[in-house]
Amino acid sequence: MAPSSTDVHDSLLGPSAIPGYDSIVTPRADDPEDAFGSAEGRKRLEKQLLRKLDRRVAFLVLVSIMNYLDRSNAGAARLSGLESDLHMSGSQFNTLISILYVGYVLMQIPSNMFLSSLQRPSIYLSSCVFLWGVCSIATGISQTFAGALASRFFLGCCEAAWHPGAMFLLSRWYKRSELAWRISIITSGSTLSSAFGALIASGVMGTMDTVFGFAGWRWLFLLEGSVTILIAVFAIFVIPDYPSSSASWLTPKELALARRRLEEDVCHGDLDQAKYLSTLTQALTDWRMWWLSTALLCIFATDSFVNFFPTLSATMGYSPTVSLLLCAPPWIVATITALIVASHSDSSRELFWHMFIPLLITVAGFVLAMSTMSTPVRYLSLFLMAQLNITIKLFMAWVSNSFPHSPRERAVALALINSVAHIGNVGGSYFWPSSWGPSYFKSFLLCILMAVIALVISQRYRSYLEAANKAAEEDERLKGLPKGFRYLL
């Protein structure tokens, strides 16, 4: 006997938390609009639901900005005496950058597995935001390299919850065809923080230096950490919980539709079978996890230049303040292009070329930077490099699309792939030793190598998804079945 709509709902989300849910959503698998009046009525209700969701996503952008500001401000602080004040030498600055990603890698998987079992992810995620604000302040008051190293490690542990957690939370509200745009909206916080973070750092370190006896770079950590803590308090009330929970900001019908949308968008073929990923042990035996992890690891290693963006800007010969100001325009342009590309990706339901054309543009930027020390050409190369953020944003949408069978499967997939891939940031931090400057020819060469490997691996995976779609189409044709689930390519 075929499962009813209600059976599918229970297998996915558990018992309803809404009084009268069954009276709102009737088990009419043949007519998904019936419960909402008509196709037109459902369309209007869906627009209302998405508007309310999108307003909350807008707040998540602010959290993402602080996530990347608190993570990347060490690069700006380097231009204002961080290394000399903490008596750092050799590759210790690279280690300070790298250690954050060690904590990030260690905590992502347990964090997302824990998150998937909670009814109130808003409290958990907000608590992590609060704690990473505390860690940022701790970095600002550190007096030794060891103290700063410990603060950065725990900062990575706390920040590990946010990115994969936010991606998983989005996948519990939005359909796969809606995810790329929303993920780009949230992760645009990274590019906005790179743009405005440089401006903020320039202002803070230029005006607050020696105030109350603190160096400008210390004020940068103190102020940004304090703002993060304040945002965490508001986040408790704004971050949405899962559709399976109650939501005072939605009407019962809107919440019922949110659940129905999840049922319709999931791959229904074998929802009740244990072969799908539900535990970390099962995840570790799935080749797709390691294939995608390797591709994203190479992309993150390619992206290692981001932590040294102020350093690359400084190679053009300007003062620290001007060098930081020059960092902003490339990231502003990158934010705009990311939103345009993500929107087109959603509307065209295509991911691969929307991801990897920006990667090739980034490689062109590396080649330009390697070829000359000319100031105009070097500055142009920074604009081209910044386009890599598009690839990273859409890749996470591709991961979510690749694991559609259950929310828990998706949570483990996002966390495991993102966690393993951040090993690329750990190693990539050592691509940029000071002794290779100011040209950083070898650094750019390593980044190009990583980009090429990522492209080859991803092309092979696209071929696999294409074959899976063709097999499903043929199976439906032979059995006379209606069109079912398809992977986005």
Side-chain angles (χ1 to χ4, degrees):
M1 181 177 175
S4 70
S5 172
T6 305
D7 292 334
V8 174
H9 167 269
D10 290 340
S11 68
L12 273 174
L13 301 172
S16 172
I18 315 173
Y21 175 84
D22 292 329
S23 66
I24 296 173
V25 181
T26 55
R28 289 284 303 278
D30 59 324
D31 185 8
E33 282 80 29
D34 180 69
F36 306 103
S38 65
E40 189 60 34
R42 169 173 169 151
K43 190 175 180 180
R44 285 195 301 270
L45 190 64
E46 200 159 19
K47 284 184 178 179
Q48 294 173 17
L49 170 65
L50 289 176
R51 269 198 303 269
K52 291 183 177 181
L53 279 172
D54 288 343
R55 281 198 291 267
R56 291 179 178 256
V57 167
F59 178 82
L60 301 188
V61 175
L62 181 59
V63 182
S64 290
I65 288 174
M66 300 314 301
N67 179 274
Y68 285 92
L69 275 181
D70 292 335
R71 182 190 312 181
S72 61
N73 49 18
R78 186 186 197 185
L79 302 185
S80 186
L82 169 71
E83 288 179 289
S84 58
D85 287 353
L86 297 183
H87 311 293
M88 295 163 59
S89 60
S91 62
Q92 286 186 328
F93 179 78
N94 303 79
T95 302
L96 192 69
I97 296 296
S98 177
I99 195 66
L100 180 144
Y101 296 105
V102 174
Y104 205 82
V105 167
L106 291 176
M107 292 305 297
Q108 277 201 8
I109 296 172
S111 174
N112 242 36
M113 292 186 71
F114 180 62
L115 183 71
S116 68
S117 67
L118 296 175
Q119 286 297 310
R120 296 291 307 278
S122 57
I123 295 177
Y124 172 68
L125 290 175
S126 300
S127 299
C128 291
V129 175
F130 180 89
L131 289 174
W132 90 53
V134 172
C135 291
S136 181
I137 291 174
T139 306
I141 62 176
S142 297
Q143 300 299 316
T144 63
F145 169 66
L149 200 66
S151 298
R152 295 278 293 178
F153 172 76
F154 288 111
L155 176 64
C157 291
C158 297
E159 287 200 348
W162 179 251
H163 186 67
M167 299 307 100
F168 175 61
L169 190 58
L170 286 184
S171 72
R172 294 291 301 271
W173 285 99
Y174 291 102
K175 291 184 177 181
R176 292 176 304 120
S177 61
E178 300 164 346
L179 267 179
W181 167 250
R182 271 76 184 190
I183 288 177
S184 286
I185 288 289
I186 286 187
T187 54
S188 66
S190 64
T191 47
L192 285 172
S193 70
S194 296
F196 295 107
L199 298 176
I200 292 169
S202 176
V204 170
M205 294 190 299
T207 60
M208 299 291 289
D209 193 32
T210 72
V211 174
F212 295 118
F214 288 129
W217 69 265
R218 293 189 184 276
W219 278 113
L220 183 64
F221 286 100
L222 294 172
L223 292 176
E224 289 181 352
S226 299
V227 172
T228 300
I229 290 173
L230 182 62
I231 290 173
V233 175
F234 288 99
I236 296 175
F237 305 101
V238 180
I239 295 176
D241 293 313
Y242 302 131
S244 53
S245 303
S246 59
S248 59
W249 50 281
L250 293 176
T251 67
K253 275 199 171 185
E254 288 168 346
L255 191 52
L257 177 58
R259 294 180 173 189
R260 172 66 69 85
R261 281 160 43 87
L262 283 182
E263 296 169 12
E264 294 167 353
D265 199 49
V266 78
C267 178
H268 291 288
D270 296 296
L271 282 171
D272 60 339
Q273 293 187 18
K275 70 178 183 178
Y276 290 116
L277 303 177
S278 60
T279 67
L280 179 58
T281 302
Q282 290 172 304
L284 292 172
T285 62
D286 191 317
W287 71 269
R288 296 174 300 167
M289 294 284 190
W290 297 106
W291 198 258
L292 291 171
S293 295
T294 304
L296 189 57
L297 184 152
C298 292
I299 292 172
F300 279 150
T302 305
D303 192 52
S304 61
F305 71 87
V306 170
N307 289 313
F308 299 86
F309 209 76
T311 300
L312 293 177
S313 179
T315 63
M316 293 186 289
Y318 296 105
S319 67
T321 299
V322 173
S323 295
L324 288 171
L325 292 174
L326 289 173
C327 289
W331 294 113
I332 293 173
V333 172
T335 301
I336 295 170
T337 54
L339 295 177
I340 293 172
V341 171
S343 178
H344 189 267
S345 174
D346 271 349
S347 62
S348 63
R349 296 178 65 83
E350 198 282 336
L351 285 168
F352 181 82
W353 290 112
H354 286 81
M355 282 188 289
F356 286 98
I357 288 177
L359 179 65
L360 294 175
I361 293 173
T362 298
V363 170
F366 293 151
V367 172
L368 279 180
M370 292 167 63
S371 63
T372 180
M373 288 300 294
S374 166
T375 297
V377 176
R378 275 248 159 176
Y379 195 46
L380 174 61
S381 74
L382 295 182
F383 281 86
L384 300 182
M385 292 179 210
Q387 299 305 308
L388 185 60
N389 83 95
I390 301 172
T391 304
I392 296 171
K393 290 171 174 51
L394 294 186
F395 197 95
M396 295 311 296
W398 209 28
V399 170
S400 185
N401 159 73
S402 297
F403 299 92
H405 302 98
S406 75
R408 183 168 178 80
E409 173 193 28
R410 197 177 304 121
V412 174
L414 286 167
L416 177 59
I417 290 171
N418 209 39
S419 180
V420 173
H422 268 90
I423 295 173
N425 275 319
V426 176
S429 300
Y430 294 95
F431 283 7
W432 305 89
S434 298
S435 58
W436 287 3
S439 68
Y440 290 101
F441 183 93
K442 295 178 183 178
S443 306
F444 290 124
L445 199 60
L446 286 172
C447 288
I448 291 173
L449 175 62
M450 293 294 102
V452 171
I453 294 173
L455 181 59
V456 171
I457 292 174
S458 299
Q459 174 59 49
R460 293 294 297 167
Y461 187 68
R462 184 184 186 276
S463 299
Y464 160 75
L465 294 182
E466 194 171 20
N469 284 347
K470 287 180 179 178
E473 184 177 354
E474 179 66 15
D475 187 57
E476 290 164 358
R477 186 185 66 79
L478 293 174
K479 296 179 180 178
L481 298 173
K483 183 176 180 179
F485 174 85
R486 295 290 188 276
Y487 291 107
L488 297 180
L489 301 179

